[in-house]
Amino acid sequence: MKFLRTLLLAAPLAGAVRLDRQGKVSYDGYKIFRVAPEFADAVEAELEDLSGMHLMRTAQHFDVAIPPESIESFQLLNVSSELISDDIGADIALEGELTPYESPVQALDVAAAAVPDPSWFRAYHAYNDHLTFLSDLQKAFPSNSEIFRAGTSFEGRAITGIHLWGSGGKGSKPAITFHGTVHAREWITTMVNEYIAWQLVVGYGNDTTVKAYLDSYDFYILPVVNPDGFVYTQTTNRLWRKNRQTRSGISAVGTDVNRNWPYQWSGPGSSTSPSSETYRGQSAGDTPENLGLRTHVDNVAKGQGLKLYIDWHSYSQLILLPYGYSCSARAENINEQTTLARGVASAIARPYGTTFEYGPTCSTIYQTNGGSNDYIQDVSGAEFAWAIELRDTGRNGFVLPPEQIIPSGFEAWQGIKNLLSNF
Ligand SMILES: [Zn+2]
């Protein structure tokens, strides 16, 4: 139904993208509305005409960003909704500037140095600083870690991770793999992945529990698996989600790498429209990022076994279990996965009372096709393949204030420790 187009044929609905003085997309005056689920499809159908943005859809609600010139038209739709942010531009300003990283390795000009200072987690940082941070973390743990590459992005960036291992030596134990920031705007996931890697490195020498984790599992942590999109959120458009892949004959840029995994790829849980935020690509697995990631995950799974995979997202505070592609298909060990997720949710809640819901992806949010955890559960053969949606529940959404980085990391770390101690 194209209600608005019919009703307001002559009205100039599609506003041009506005840029600020730095040449970035301006979100000044954009509002976020939380639409009731029964109106989600109707609003989705009007979103392009409103120049609005799909932010987050779950079984309970659909959050959309509406530019100032379309607010009136949105209200004319007469759907039940709640205003959850009055000005996204103001929220983005509260995120602060990207803070330069002071590398202890570069400052001292030595090959090995102390673990990077935890002040790293008090602010957001530029992509290149993330690479330096990861490399410094590796240098502080030289005999038990290495930097690795899982393929190359569309624009030619190395998809970079840190591999950590314990006393058994490199590659000798079942693997745990974490992916962060496949959706470029979900910045908190980069920081939380790095926080967990940092805790593992710091804890190995002085915490017997953490040492036991690393002596039992190899960790492969990739804080930014969509580097092109991530860089684009920092240079140009803070709310960009997809990769930056162009395709001949198609003007829209970007494919949703988390709808591109070559398993249960086609279906209603992704879009065939290149301008959609959930565009699945022209064929299964046709993004360079997906090729690199699945090759890496499959090799690790074949070589040493994959105990756990987590794809970290934001926002909504959810622990999502297989499957996304179907609400009736059940993972063989779903009861065990659910019990573990319950434990993780209660461990996350302990420090600050942050509530995480849990359950299969399809019934908890909506049907998704071509998602990472379905592929990694059934094709790679992971024992547990999850997606975790971090803070918050919508007030700040993707632009979580930097004061929440350490609490987000700390509570997620409690959840991960609970999982590692219980499976
Ligand atoms: Zn996401």
Side-chain angles (χ1 to χ4, degrees), residues 55-56 181-186 189 241 256 258-259 311-315 388-389 398:
L55 296 179
M56 176 61 65
T181 334
V182 64
H183 293 142
R185 59 196 178 187
E186 299 168 6
T189 68
R241 166 183 165 102
D256 185 345
N258 200 35
R259 297 292 185 279
D311 200 0
W312 295 86
H313 293 258
S314 72
Y315 55 92
I388 295 186
E389 300 271 1
F398 303 117

Side-chain angles (χ1 to χ4, degrees), residues 272-295:
T272 55
S273 163
S275 61
S276 165
E277 295 287 13
T278 55
Y279 177 49
R280 65 169 72 140
Q282 283 173 318
S283 60
D286 70 354
T287 56
E289 293 82 4
N290 180 258
L291 174 64
L293 294 170
R294 74 173 188 264
T295 304

Side-chain angles (χ1 to χ4, degrees), residues 37-68:
E38 62 270 31
F39 298 107
D41 287 337
V43 169
E44 182 112 58
E46 304 295 344
L47 216 49
E48 204 170 329
D49 286 354
L50 291 166
S51 302
M53 289 181 77
H54 174 141
L55 296 179
M56 176 61 65
R57 188 166 172 175
T58 73
Q60 280 76 43
H61 53 75
F62 180 35
D63 294 350
V64 293
I66 304 294

Side-chain angles (χ1 to χ4, degrees), residues 333-349:
N333 61 353
I334 188 63
N335 292 339
E336 190 186 358
Q337 301 215 34
T338 305
T339 304
L340 288 167
R342 183 180 308 130
V344 171
S346 62
I348 288 174

Side-chain angles (χ1 to χ4, degrees), residues 109-172:
D109 196 23
V110 290
V115 177
D117 191 84
S119 62
W120 169 258
F121 300 104
R122 294 210 189 102
Y124 293 102
H125 308 278
Y127 178 65
N128 282 334
D129 282 347
H130 285 285
L131 295 178
T132 310
F133 171 87
L134 214 56
S135 149
D136 285 358
L137 196 61
Q138 190 281 322
K139 290 187 177 106
F141 199 43
S143 310
N144 295 73
S145 69
E146 69 182 14
I147 297 294
F148 69 94
R149 173 182 192 147
T152 306
S153 71
F154 182 78
E155 292 176 347
R157 294 183 176 87
I159 300 171
T160 304
I162 187 167
H163 174 193
L164 309 164
W165 60 84
S167 57
K170 175 182 161 185
S172 64

Side-chain angles (χ1 to χ4, degrees), residues 68-82:
E69 66 274 14
S70 301
I71 304 282
E72 221 182 302
S73 308
F74 174 78
Q75 281 158 347
L76 279 174
L77 291 175
N78 226 352
V79 298
S80 158
S81 69
E82 177 196 350

